[in-house]
Amino acid sequence: ETDLARVETRLRDINQFAPIQRCRQADVSVDSVLDIKGFDLNRTLEMEPEFLNSYAEHEHDNSISSLSITQVGDVNLDDLQTWMSDILSWPNSESIYRMKGVLSVAYASQRYVYQGMHMCYEGMFDDDHQWGTDEIRQSKLVFIGKNLDKAALADGFEACLETPEKLAERIKHLRFKVGDKVQCNLNEDAWPTGEIVAVMCRDDSLPPAELAPYEVELDDGDLIYVPVDDDHLIRAIRND
């Protein structure tokens, strides 16, 4: 009991908000571990007011430095994740001690909060922190590490910005265009026909940052979103 109390005290020193459950051999309910929204920006700033301050963290070592980037505009989530995967893969990850930030992601009303160190990375949309309609959407991210290539990091993040040209390129690679007649797979036995009325469209029913390749108006008047441009879900009209 004394050892448990000592360990719990140490855990509280690290994170006073984290719930602690005593158990044997990790025998706990899955609901108490998964999808608990454990990272909360308000709590993090309460515990660590300098969360987004790069100057508060690095030691006085000429090889250790920090980089803070503030970028107006929205980032493309796919490009961001690809870039993050690259800079956090070995051997690049050896030079990054810590990274953190709050980002504005295209086609998402929520802020995207992330933090990581070396090869470990966690990012999530914060439902409690929506972008205001009159608010300037911008991203702020911080790197702390050894011999950081600051120019490469800044250029790499800037390349993740969503642009009209990127969206036009994705539209160009779609198989169908607005006005095309198609069949959509509603179940294994039903392929109703309809007409494409929009491409690369956004709806609140979709996950944050996700665009549907097609919005289709079926012949019965129903509107549906096709989540993937795949022949198993949407195809040209067949007569067989």
Side-chain angles (χ1 to χ4, degrees):
E1 183 68 27
T2 301
D3 288 340
L4 286 174
R6 178 175 52 80
V7 171
E8 290 179 357
T9 298
R10 175 58 179 148
L11 292 174
R12 290 294 183 208
D13 290 339
I14 297 173
N15 187 343
Q16 60 181 303
F17 297 105
I20 296 175
Q21 294 191 43
R22 292 188 178 187
C23 64
R24 292 181 180 274
Q25 298 180 337
D27 183 17
V28 296
S29 169
V30 173
D31 293 336
S32 66
V33 179
L34 299 180
D35 196 28
I36 60 174
K37 301 185 184 298
F39 183 87
D40 181 271
L41 185 57
N42 286 337
R43 290 203 305 263
T44 300
L45 291 174
E46 182 179 336
M47 289 189 302
E48 189 181 349
E50 302 296 333
F51 179 70
L52 292 176
N53 182 0
S54 64
Y55 301 104
E57 297 215 28
H58 58 83
E59 300 288 342
H60 295 289
D61 182 330
N62 290 334
S63 65
I64 298 176
S65 64
S66 64
L67 170 65
S68 178
I69 300 173
T70 300
Q71 179 70 61
V72 175
D74 297 333
V75 298
N76 179 285
L77 185 59
D78 289 338
D79 290 347
L80 174 71
Q81 291 177 334
T82 299
W83 177 64
M84 289 287 190
S85 177
D86 179 58
I87 64 175
L88 291 181
S89 62
W90 192 88
N92 297 332
S93 61
E94 292 298 301
S95 65
I96 298 178
Y97 295 160
R98 191 175 183 194
M99 54 189 295
K100 53 190 178 178
V102 178
L103 309 182
S104 176
V105 174
Y107 318 114
S109 59
Q110 307 95 325
R111 284 170 165 79
Y112 186 80
V113 182
Y114 82 91
Q115 57 181 336
M117 56 181 59
H118 295 301
M119 299 179 72
C120 299
Y121 166 83
E122 178 185 26
M124 62 185 295
F125 287 101
D126 188 344
D127 292 332
D128 295 328
H129 291 82
Q130 307 273 337
W131 290 101
T133 54
D134 297 327
E135 188 176 4
I136 296 176
R137 293 182 57 134
Q138 62 181 3
S139 300
K140 183 172 183 179
L141 61 164
V142 174
F143 296 90
I144 298 98
K146 187 170 186 177
N147 299 320
L148 293 175
D149 189 337
K150 297 182 179 182
L153 289 171
D155 291 343
F157 181 70
E158 185 177 2
C160 295
L161 287 174
E162 176 71 319
T163 65
E165 291 76 18
K166 286 184 180 179
L167 181 59
E169 187 68 18
R170 295 200 295 275
I171 292 175
K172 186 174 71 174
H173 285 87
L174 294 176
R175 294 181 298 144
F176 305 108
K177 62 182 184 299
V178 172
D180 284 349
K181 299 290 186 179
V182 293
Q183 290 178 309
C184 298
N185 184 6
L186 298 188
N187 58 57
E188 292 183 357
D189 300 318
W191 282 83
T193 59
E195 179 179 326
I196 294 176
V197 296
V199 296
M200 299 308 291
C201 35
R202 173 73 195 157
D203 182 77
D204 290 340
S205 64
L206 299 171
E210 186 171 311
L211 295 179
Y214 305 108
E215 182 182 11
V216 179
E217 182 177 2
L218 300 178
D219 290 347
D220 62 7
D222 287 347
L223 288 172
I224 64 170
Y225 291 94
V226 180
V228 182
D229 187 14
D230 185 272
D231 210 42
H232 291 93
L233 297 178
I234 184 170
R235 67 190 186 190
I237 293 179
R238 298 179 183 176
N239 296 320
D240 52 4

